[in-house]
């Protein structure tokens, strides 16, 4: 059996142990449970000289499940009991069945079981029993000591091997075969359907079939074999849903409304409109039925085809709109609470929606960890194009700005903010539009689109001026000053910066003022006025330290180190970059940490400490690569020019990135 050698060996071991307990093979529909067990049974015919008993219990399928009475009657007739002599009472059937099997070497295969109650009366009390089920059947583990094999999806290589067995070397000749495997999500039934479709069109390249499957909305339709329910994906998946309790079936349908298909219990509770404890129980039911999986503790998802099926169901579920609003409120208000710890000194807006289901965080580290796990959810939620969600869309994007800036998730920032801008325009909310355009400009600037950034800043400045928001106007002006500095127009940059700084000082906006001082220090540095730059930095550092803003401090210390190096003060430069390294680690900024390591490596190389330089640069390269930063290529080339292989610069304890601390 292609791709299941380890599982067949596991069955060999379990049966060889001669244990009287049943062996259960569990897994989602279409994963090949029956095929595995029947392959093993056929290969071991000689091990069971008294025969093999097999029954399809019809636990999942178009027909009514068999009752234990019906299965026992069939087994007794197979064992030679005349129909007229088959007992009517179940306990008598069980007794006769076990008596007939006593002392005999028989394999009993209970295929497609629905539950423990369906299986227990069919256990002979001795011998070898193999059970297959889409459910985990934990009761058989608890009371009968069953060993359970959870049959997983095929890996890409195993899927390729299965296709190769069906289609021959065509699979190796056509590059599209690997994507064909990916479109099937590792589900053996889907791969066999695809193989049949490919055989039915021998002249067509596999790329044509890939194109049909690539469109998610059509994939389940494409994986159909006309007239055979057992060989089509949609009905096979639906049978699992049909056997679920109604509340679990409803929960699975609503799972399809989640934007990324990876949920935790609190978000699932919001989707379903139930308590977190109830959501956790529903998740256990769905995992037990192999409708969801838990690949990482506390995080749940479905394989690709099951998720497509859930999305399809959610699309027609009458509860989906309310479920989406509940989920949005949960993520929006939880993100706000997380951002209050990660970016504590920023301007906030009153949020719409119900905060009742939002999660709480004890410290900076847990808040940042939640944002790391859920930023993709936020991007997906902002992309939802329902008009009734527009206010939530721009508010969630605005709330995520601090995280995106900290982690330099520019793509997520751009996607969120473009969705948010469309929402603002549809709402006609000029104030929200101004805020979103102002922040969008920064993301565009950082991703190399200065002309687009300038357009957003100018639009934001005009809108803020029209609605009389001087704080917002000052923010837009300060951002334009940064853009002008980068383009080399230092005089105009300094003029605009002063306009913003004067306002911040007037109203006591301390963090904004400190950022403006740091920005002005960069302008003075660019024109060679090092004393003025240092004076502005001293003001900024004092304010950032008072506010506990480690990300801002990391940037300021970095500039201090650059100024010290330019003055020829290597020791002072190293002290500042070490301070930047500490501050960047305190807030979890990968980019600022990489910059500090890079500059510390430069200083080490200048004083001839090659090993230290290689270690610092190596750690910096890894961080740059994780961000997709172009700095990685230049620094890697520098190391290569020194004939340094990457194996020589793994990060040591000093340069390795530690866990984010619990508080700032």
């Amino acid at each position: 059996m292609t791709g299941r050698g380890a599982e067949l060996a596991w069955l060999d071991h379990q049966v060889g142990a001669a244990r009287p307990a049943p062996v259960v093979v569990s897994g989602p529909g279409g994963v090949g449970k029956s095929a595995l067990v029947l392959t093993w049974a056929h290969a071991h015919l000689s091990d069971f000289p008294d025969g093999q008993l097999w029954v399809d219990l019809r636990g999942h399928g178009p027909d009514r499940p068999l009752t234990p009475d019906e299965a026992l009657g069939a087994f007794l007739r197979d064992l030679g009991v005349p129909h007229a002599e088959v007992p009517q009472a179940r306990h008598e059937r069980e007794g006769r069945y076990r008596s007939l099997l006593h002392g005999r070497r028989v394999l009993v295969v209970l295929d497609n079981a629905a539950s423990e109650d369906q299986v227990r009366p069919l256990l002979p009390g001795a011998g070898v029993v193999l059970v297959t089920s889409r459910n985990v059947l934990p009761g058989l583990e608890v009371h009968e000591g069953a060993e359970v094999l959870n049959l997983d999806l095929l890996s890409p290589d195993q899927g390729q091997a299965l296709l190769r067995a069906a289609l021959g070397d065509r699979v190796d000749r056509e590059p599209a075969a690997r994507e064909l495997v990916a479109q099937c999500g590792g589900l053996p039934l889907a791969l066999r359907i695809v193989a049949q479709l490919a055989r039915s069109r021998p002249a067509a390249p596999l790329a044509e079939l890939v194109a049909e499957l690539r469109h998610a909305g059509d994939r389940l339709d494409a994986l159909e074999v006309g007239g055979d329910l057992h060989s089509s994906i949609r009905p096979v998946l639906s049978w699992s849903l049909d056997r679920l309790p109604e509340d679990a079936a409803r929960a699975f349908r609503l799972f399809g409304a989640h934007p990324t298909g990876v949920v935790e219990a609190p978000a699932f509770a919001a989707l379903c409109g139930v308590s977190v404890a109830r959501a956790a129980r529903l998740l256990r039911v769905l995992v037990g039925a192999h409708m969801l999986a838990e690949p990482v503790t506390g995080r749940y998802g479905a394989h690709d085809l099951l998720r497509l099926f859930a999305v399809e169901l959610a699309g027609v579920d009458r509860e989906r709109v309310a479920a989406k609003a509940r989920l949005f409120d949960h993520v929006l208000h939880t993100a706000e609470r997380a951002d209050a710890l990660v970016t504590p000194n920023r301007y906030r807006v009153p949020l719409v929606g119900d905060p009742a289901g939002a999660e709480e965080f004890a410290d900076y580290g847990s808040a940042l960890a939640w944002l790391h796990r859920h930023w993709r959810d936020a991007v997906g939620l902002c992309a939802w194009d329902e008009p009734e969600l527009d206010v939530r869309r721009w508010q969630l994007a605005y709330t995520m700005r601090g995280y995106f800036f900290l982690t330099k998730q520019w793509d997520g920032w751009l996607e969120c903010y473009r969705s948010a801008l469309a929402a603002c325009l549809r709402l006609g909310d000029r104030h929200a539009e101004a805020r979103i355009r102002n922040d969008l400009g920064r993301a565009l600037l950082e991703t190399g689109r200065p002309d687009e950034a300038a357009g957003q800043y100018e639009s934001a400045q005009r809108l803020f001026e029209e609605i009389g928001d001087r704080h917002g106007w000052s923010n837009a002006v300060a951002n334009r000053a940064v853009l002008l500095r980068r383009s080399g127009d230092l005089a105009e940059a300094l003029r605009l910066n002063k306009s913003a700084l004067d306002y911040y000082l007037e109203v006591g906006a301390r963090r904004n003022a400190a950022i403006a001082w740091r920005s002005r220090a960069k302008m003075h540095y660019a024109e060679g006025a090092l004393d003025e730059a240092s004076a502005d930095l001293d003001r900024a550092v004092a304010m950032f330290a008072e506010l506990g803003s480690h990300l801002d401090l990391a940037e300021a210390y970095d500039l201090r180190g650059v100024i010290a190096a330019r003055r020829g003060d290597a020791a002072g430069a190293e002290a500042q970059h070490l301070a930047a390294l500490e501050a960047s680690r305190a807030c979890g900024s990968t980019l600022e940490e990489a910059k500090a390591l890079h500059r510390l490596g430069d200083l080490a190389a200048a004083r001839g400490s090659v090993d230290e330089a290689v270690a610092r640069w190596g750690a910096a390269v890894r961080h740059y690569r994780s961000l997709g930063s172009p700095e990685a290529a230049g620094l890697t080339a520098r190391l290569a020019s020194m004939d340094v292989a990457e194996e020589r610069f793994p990060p040591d304890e000093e340069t390795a990135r530690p866990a984010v601390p619990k508080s700032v």
Side-chain angles (χ1 to χ4, degrees), residues 456-538:
Q456 296 296 340
Y457 287 152
E458 289 163 8
S459 295
Q461 182 180 340
R462 184 180 64 255
L463 285 165
F464 281 128
E465 188 169 9
E466 289 173 358
I467 60 182
D469 183 344
R470 193 175 170 202
H471 187 92
W473 179 89
S474 298
N475 289 344
V477 166
N479 284 334
R480 287 187 59 211
V482 171
L483 183 63
L484 290 166
R485 173 181 62 79
R486 293 193 184 190
S487 68
D489 189 349
L490 297 178
E492 182 64 8
L494 283 164
R495 187 187 72 80
L496 291 181
N497 178 276
K498 184 178 185 304
S499 297
L501 179 57
D502 287 346
Y503 169 78
Y504 297 143
L505 293 173
E506 176 188 332
V507 299
R510 297 193 301 160
R511 181 169 181 261
N512 293 102
I515 291 172
W517 275 323
R518 186 185 62 204
S519 182
R520 192 168 71 175
K522 292 179 181 180
M523 296 169 194
H524 286 314
Y525 175 80
E527 64 182 6
L530 301 188
D531 290 341
E532 290 86 344
S534 295
D536 282 338
L537 272 180
D538 288 345

Side-chain angles (χ1 to χ4, degrees), residues 365 442 467 621:
R442 184 58 186 265
I467 60 182
V621 164

